Amino acid sequence: MRGLQHLNPTPHQEEVGRVNIIGRGAMAKGTLLRQVKCALFAGIAMELVLGSPASAQDVPAKADGKQSNNSDASNEAIIVTGSRIKRRDYVTASPLVTVGEDILQGSGKTNVDEALALLPQFNGVGNGASIAAFPGPKAINLRGLGEIRSLPLLDGRRLPPSTIVGFTPGITDISFIPNAVISNIEVISGGASAVYGADAVAGVVNIKTRDDFNGVEVSFDYGIAEVGDGENVDLSLLYGGDFGPDKRGHIMLAGSYTRRGEVAQFPARPYLNRPTTPLYGSANVIGGSPFSQSAIDQVFGSYGFAPGTVPATTNIGINPDGTLFAGVGGTNLDTTGLDGYYSIVNGAVVAGFPSNQFALSKTDKYSAFVKADYELTDNVTVYAQGIYTKAKEIRGQAVNTTALIASVPVTNPFIPTDLQTLLASRSNPDANFTLFNSFIDLPTDWGSETQTWQAVGGLRGTFDFADINWDIYYSHTSIDFANQYFGYINTKRRLALINAPDGGASICEGGLNMFSYQHVSQECADYLTTDAEDMTKSRQDVVEATVGGKLFPIGLGASPMRFALTGTWRKNGMSYTPSDEVANGIIQVPIGGQAVPYRTVTVKEIAGELLIPVLQDVPFARSLNINLGGRYSDYSTAGGVETYRVEADYRPVDSVMLRGGYERAVRAGSFSELFLPPSYTQSQFLPTPPVGGDPCSIDTNANAAGGNALRQLCIATGVPSSYYDGSVALPNYLPYTTQGNGTVQPEKADTVTLGLVFQPDFGPNWVRNFNATIDFYSIKIKGLISRPTASDVVTSCYNVDGKSNPGYDPNDINCQQISRDSSGLLSNVIVVPQNIGALKTKGIDVQIDWKVDLGPGKLRVGTYMNFLLEFAFQRSAGLPFVDYAGLSADNFLGIFGDHHPRFKATTNVGYNINGFDAFMIWRHVSGMQDLTQVTSPSSPLPDTASYDVFDVHASYQINDTFTVRGGITNVFDRKPNFLGDVQGLTSFRLYDPIGRAYSMGVTATF
């Protein structure tokens, strides 16, 4: 008969330093499983931060903190994430967080990626887009070191990257795993390359699937935001049963459907309306001198404004009636019929998002899962596992900001009369002029479709003659990811309409009036817009063999040493195939570029671990263990690299354990960093002047501070001296191109951890039920593979922060990546990954948990806290480190550029009585200074306040079959903070954009 595979230990039996966010309980069959599930069903906060399961008090423990001999499983060795060595004592020297299968039900989240984002050691979970949840893969970001430095595993096996282009190319999706089959999730946040290989610089998230479930389980959850959107549905069916002679086999089948409804941005949530788009119809001259002051005074005088009210250097915008307004100050601005999209930020007129764009994308996901094993003999088991998921997302319609900039001839018949007057006042009145224009009446849509399947087959077993275990498997994973674009502007056709003598009326009905807010007829809309898609294919094949077990004792009174040896062959292949419109730049999509032919990277690895029990049950040492590990990896691209680690745990008495470790981690370049051909991403905008903007523009703080040195640099990099000296305001429009770099070398990281665990084994139960850990971590990455943002390249070249290019040298590496057109406008910025600079971060994790009998039930309090001591970035060798801890970065640092609050905490208070469990979750994020404290210390933006949000949940076990639950998230309807006090500028990684929401669910187990 098949025995229990896992047991939940008591607080003294927990993996030392392991934070059990929510425990599933013993994986027994039948009634025991149902009883444990119902007892633990309270949700994520019930076990938040080392919370031992409700059933733990029923499992006796020895004084040494090991499982008592009350079942056959008590002597079964297990593998805990962070090591491949099987151990019977549940001890790990690495800080470990465990999240159980009920996390989704307890947290009100429908996807595992969203639920993990609640943990303080994550800088959110997403796809590199910090402002909105764009369609595409959802990845993990441990310690804020970037999604590509955090390694996700499924049952201890690597998952392949999902993208080669995107906001953060090379990330690995974790959202395809169906919720119904998750047993628990183990998180090591501090490096694990020696055990699992490259990419584990920041740590590992191991998603473990359920084992040995017998019966049928049906689960349904529903949630909705108070404003009526964000409707979430999660429906799953799970079957498990034994088969074969003596029930030597077991199979588990699951199917699930998950839907996350769209979360509207505006008007449902007007506080999310972020005015960042430049002026609709804002005009700038190309060539020659700016408008004459006399012409400006004449036009604006006709509106009733005194001469000199609007300076000649100001960008000019066009009202719906054809009159003009000043882009700075908003003189004569008329927003009639524009639904409040215009705002004035830092004195500049900007526009926000339309009413039908989603703050969070709409998702539909279908999943199927099968897992089976069969004991061929008492020592050999064959196993297989398969998963298939199809997911579709849609972002919602947005302002068509593609092809914003246009060169318009003065012969265009739609030019308003007052603008003609200004154009005629230029020194070269016949020159084309630049027009910035968003197609407010032609919104775009952007979605994605992902199909993922994985098959695993292998053998595992033991040897009769020794305490040795072995495992060998083959896995294949296939991911097809398509971006789908709807209604994007065809730039060639737009140019034909603009340049036509009749404005395009001979091409389609009415032609194209770029100066109107209702641009075109339906015929012209059909002519002007194009649908397209691209396809990324990712494939991974892995063969891996592991052998491990007992050796011989060498320490004083200690147990035998244990070892694990692993050999791995892995091949990853990827390709990117865009449609012709995307590849040739005919439409400018958010993510896109030229085709990437199918390329492969092969890795051969060998790794070893050795656990050395040095002391055991001797004076002043209940135990002392040392764990050594090393790995050699041979990449077909980067050659051979080594990683290694040494860890130790020391328990002087039963109640106290000291632990610490050092690891050298290595990350080789991703597919995108190595192979991406020149590819464009939709142009971005520099922050609004005067704080932001083109540093060479007269209306910016950078220009005022740079003096003659900045003038010389601007002229050397392509700004005409006549423009600079004529005080012309340049737009903050910023097109850029990304591409790979096959010469980048693997980056290296050194991780140090030191910790203390306190679990008293003395006194009454209210003392024994107190648990606390404190862990210090330090991670330093050298030879950093960094792809800065385009705005970072620009601001660094022009020394906006006073440190990046102090000599204002036009040969600076950043300046060499910048191109301008003949009028001085930024025309392109080349962004390539390089081994430049370094990154280091330090912090302290604190975890406290306490339970006490109170009246007829049990009260529990738990908290997990992160104190960020340092997050320092060195842009290139020789430059000083700049510490961004405590700052809101707004993607300034690219992949590191989210926000870094000094303190984050998640706390729960709960009470359990007679099958009823109620609890509250409190999430706190400390306040932050704005990034401009570093980049523009003389004129910084306001600080961001601290943030607190509260959730309440409850569950009730009706009987052995049914459990019901419900909850309210964001009880007080706390709105997200605005970063730098800028309207709509927030972080969905830190703050809740949805508002108050309700959830309910039921599970039936038969």
Side-chain angles (χ1 to χ4, degrees), residues 114 308 359 442 703 741 843:
E114 297 170 345
L442 296 176
N703 186 282
N741 180 2

Side-chain angles (χ1 to χ4, degrees), residues 734-771:
L734 182 58
Y736 64 96
T737 300
T738 59
Q739 65 185 62
N741 180 2
T743 66
V744 293
Q745 296 300 306
E747 61 187 26
K748 298 178 180 180
D750 294 312
T751 300
V752 175
T753 60
L754 295 171
L756 170 68
V757 180
F758 178 58
Q759 298 173 307
D761 67 337
F762 52 82
N765 284 339
W766 65 269
V767 175
R768 289 175 174 265
N769 286 336
F770 176 83
N771 304 277

